[in-house]
Structures are given as structure tokens and as C-alpha cells.
Amino acid sequence: MLKGHLDTIVLAALEPGPAHGYAVIEAIRARSGETFDLPEGTVYPALHRLEAAGLLASEWVVPPSGRKRRVYALTPAGHDALKARRSLWDRFAAGVSAVVGGRPWPA
């Protein structure tokens, strides 16, 4: 079910601010009430794909712990893409709820 929505989920997880890959995984897990427990092999390719598309930027940082990490952040284009994807998602989710959940289409 995540297919086609993973990139949007990753962008949304980075909206609060820059984070390294594992923190993105943890944010998704926490914000989804542990519904999504995504493996690194799913999230890291998405991070790289979004960076290649110009929606994320990254840099290597060395935190006080001393372990070098790549930190990702939304670019201005990433913020715009997230806004557009949210709008599409809202319409899609309402449509699915209307059909599958037997709920009327929102007025």
C-alpha cells in the first residue's frame, strides 16, 4: 500500500527539520503510531531518489558522538512538492474513504 506514497511520507517526515536516515525511519514509525516500520533498504533509496530530484539536499555532519552522518533537509522545491502532494493525498484519501468506507463524498 505504500507504493507510490513513500516519497511523500519521507518528505513529510523531514518537514520539521533536517535529519539523518535512521531518524527519518524513527520519525515515520513514531508519527504513524508504529504502523510503518520501514527497513533501511526502503528509506535510503527514497532519500537518494528525492535528493537526485532536487527535493532534498544533504550534507555530512559529525555530531558530538563523533559518528559521521549524512543529514537530509527539504529544499524549497521539496517544500513545494510536499504541499502539492498533500493536496493530492487529501483528495485521494477522501475518495478511498468514500468508496471503501461507505462514507459520503465530503461537501
Side-chain angles (χ1 to χ4, degrees):
M1 288 189 160
L2 279 179
K3 190 173 184 173
H5 303 291
L6 178 61
D7 289 359
T8 303
I9 290 169
V10 170
L11 290 172
L14 284 164
E15 187 178 31
H20 57 83
Y22 186 73
V24 171
I25 292 168
E26 287 298 309
I28 293 168
R29 181 181 299 132
R31 288 174 62 182
S32 72
E34 299 189 12
T35 298
F36 303 130
D37 186 13
L38 304 175
E40 291 179 12
T42 298
V43 174
Y44 282 98
L47 289 167
H48 299 155
R49 183 173 53 252
L50 292 166
E51 185 175 21
L55 303 180
L56 297 179
S58 70
E59 65 177 336
W60 287 101
V61 298
V62 180
S65 66
R67 186 170 179 214
K68 188 176 173 182
R69 294 179 175 172
R70 190 167 199 92
V71 173
Y72 297 87
L74 291 175
T75 62
H79 283 284
D80 291 345
L82 179 56
K83 183 178 177 182
R85 289 170 185 222
R86 271 199 176 118
S87 178
L88 291 171
W89 171 256
D90 289 344
R91 183 160 174 80
F92 175 79
V96 170
S97 290
V99 175
V100 176
R103 296 180 185 96
W105 182 256

